[in-house]
Amino acid sequence: MKSIVIKCGGSVMEELDDSFFKSLADLKNRGYQLVFVHGGGPAINKMLELYQVPHEFENGLRKTTPEVMEVAEMVLAGQSNRKLTAMLEKHGFEAFGVNGSDAGLFKGEFLDQEKLGLVGEITSVNQPVLEMFLSEGLVPVITPIAAGENGTKLNINADYAAAAVASAIDAEHCIFVTDVKGIFIDGKLSPHLDTEEIEQHIKDEKITGGMIPKVTSAMKAISKGLNSVMIVSGKDKFYENGSWVGTNVSAKMEVFK
Ligand SMILES: Nc1ncnc2c1ncn2[C@@H]1O[C@H](COP(=O)(O)OP(=O)(O)OP(=O)(O)O)[C@@H](O)[C@H]1O
Ligand SMILES: [Mg+2]
C-alpha cells in the first residue's frame, strides 16, 4: 500500500488549521497510509527557559546535554506527541502515539558527540513494528528519540527522523509541515527546487536555521531513492484534488539538449 510520512513541526502544532486536517482526509481517501513524526522546538525552548537550562543551536540542530535531553523527552513525549495524537483522533483518525526509542523503532548513533552531545542520527528503523500499526489501520505518531547503545537515548531532529522513516518504508512522499508556506528565496515562494539549487542557497545563506535540517534530510532521502519531498504550511490547505501548495524538493532535473 502507498504511504506518506508527515513531519509536523513544533512551530505550527498550536496553529494547525481545520483545512490541514481536510488535506489529510483527502490523502487518506486517496488510499494513502499516513505516518507522523512530530517536532516540538518552541515548547522545548519554553520549558528549558522555565527550568533555566542553558541551550543553543548549531545549524538548526539543538546541542543536547543530559539535562536538555531530559526536558526534551518530557516535552516531546509528554506534551507534543499527546497533543498531535489527540488532534488526529478528534479529526477522525485512529492515531497511536509512540516513542521512537520504544521497541527499537528508531536505533541511532551519535552525530558528533563532542560538538552536539546527545544528538543522534538514525541507523535503522524497525519496519515490522511500523507495518504492524499500519496493518491495523492505525496512524503512528512518532516522537523523534532513538535508542543508542547501552540504553542511551538520542535526540533526533524530527526532520531527519521523518526522512529516515520515509526511506525505510519506501514512502511515496515525505511532507514537512511547518509554519511557512515553503522555501522563500528573496521574498518569493519557490514552488520547486532541486538539490543543486538548494546547496547553492545554503551557501548563499538564503536557506538558514530550521530550514537547513529540512532540506539536508530531504536531499539525503532523495539520494536514497525517495521521489520528492514537499515543504508545506500547517496553517493552510496544502493538498486538494491532486495538487500541492508549497515547495517541492527533488533531484537535479536533467536538461536535455
Ligand atoms: N529560505 C527560507 N524559507 C522559509 N523559511 C526559512 C528559510 N530559511 C530559514 N527559514 C526558517 O525555517 C523555519 C522553519 O523551521 P523550524 O525548525 O523553525 O520549524 P519546524 O521544523 O516546523 O518546527 P520544529 O523544529 O519544532 O519541528 C521558518 O519559520 C523560517 O524562519
Ligand atoms: Mg525544525
Side-chain angles (χ1 to χ4, degrees):
M1 208 171 167
K2 47 191 189 172
S3 56
I4 297 191
V5 177
I6 300 169
K7 185 268 173 160
C8 188
S11 64
V12 76
M13 197 98 88
E14 307 290 336
E15 297 170 81
L16 291 175
D17 192 74
D18 270 354
S19 58
F20 166 76
F21 293 97
K22 287 206 182 87
S23 305
L24 295 182
D26 198 2
L27 290 171
K28 190 183 158 193
N29 292 337
R30 282 175 179 255
Y32 285 106
Q33 289 177 317
L34 307 180
V35 177
F36 283 83
V37 176
H38 66 86
I44 297 171
N45 289 344
K46 214 165 136 189
M47 197 62 85
L48 287 169
E49 273 150 34
L50 195 69
Y51 280 99
Q52 298 180 339
V53 177
H55 56 102
E56 54 182 310
F57 282 87
E58 181 140 340
N59 285 331
L61 296 177
R62 184 189 298 281
K63 287 192 183 180
T64 308
T65 60
E67 295 75 30
V68 170
M69 186 68 204
E70 203 159 310
V71 172
E73 183 169 28
M74 176 175 80
V75 173
L76 286 170
Q79 189 177 324
S80 315
N81 186 300
R82 299 295 80 223
K83 274 191 186 167
L84 182 58
T85 304
M87 279 190 275
L88 287 166
E89 283 282 332
K90 193 177 138 203
H91 287 86
F93 296 88
E94 266 195 289
F96 194 107
V98 61
N99 205 324
S101 58
D102 295 345
L105 193 53
F106 294 162
K107 287 214 172 108
E109 59 187 27
F110 290 107
L111 194 61
D112 182 343
Q113 193 175 4
E114 212 169 292
K115 241 188 187 169
L116 297 166
L118 293 166
V119 171
E121 61 181 340
I122 293 181
T123 49
S124 71
V125 174
N126 190 337
Q127 202 196 341
V129 170
L130 265 182
E131 295 294 345
M132 187 188 75
F133 287 118
L134 298 176
S135 66
E136 291 297 320
L138 298 170
V139 175
V141 180
I142 312 172
T143 295
I145 291 175
E149 281 193 354
N150 307 320
T152 319
K153 286 199 180 172
L154 298 170
N155 179 18
I156 312 288
N157 175 279
D159 301 327
Y160 279 97
V165 174
S167 297
I169 64 171
D170 204 12
E172 203 158 296
H173 296 285
C174 179
I175 307 173
F176 293 120
V177 181
T178 184
D179 60 348
V180 285
K181 275 185 192 290
I183 300 177
F184 286 80
I185 302 297
D186 299 329
K188 259 187 70 189
L189 177 68
S190 300
H192 179 268
L193 288 173
D194 67 36
T195 49
E196 208 165 272
E197 291 168 318
I198 284 175
E199 273 166 14
Q200 191 56 47
H201 291 320
I202 296 177
K203 270 195 205 129
D204 298 343
E205 296 183 4
K206 292 188 174 178
I207 292 178
T208 58
M211 198 50 79
I212 292 179
K214 259 179 254 306
V215 292
T216 44
S217 57
M219 292 193 294
K220 197 170 166 193
I222 287 165
S223 75
K224 283 189 185 165
L226 190 75
N227 242 344
S228 68
V229 177
M230 286 298 305
I231 298 170
V232 304
S233 165
K235 300 179 189 174
D236 306 285
K237 199 176 251 183
F238 63 79
Y239 182 82
E240 195 175 30
N241 300 326
S243 65
W244 299 85
V245 181
T247 300
N248 176 271
V249 178
S250 67
K252 174 143 178 60
M253 289 203 284
E254 298 294 334
V255 179
F256 296 101
K257 287 190 180 156

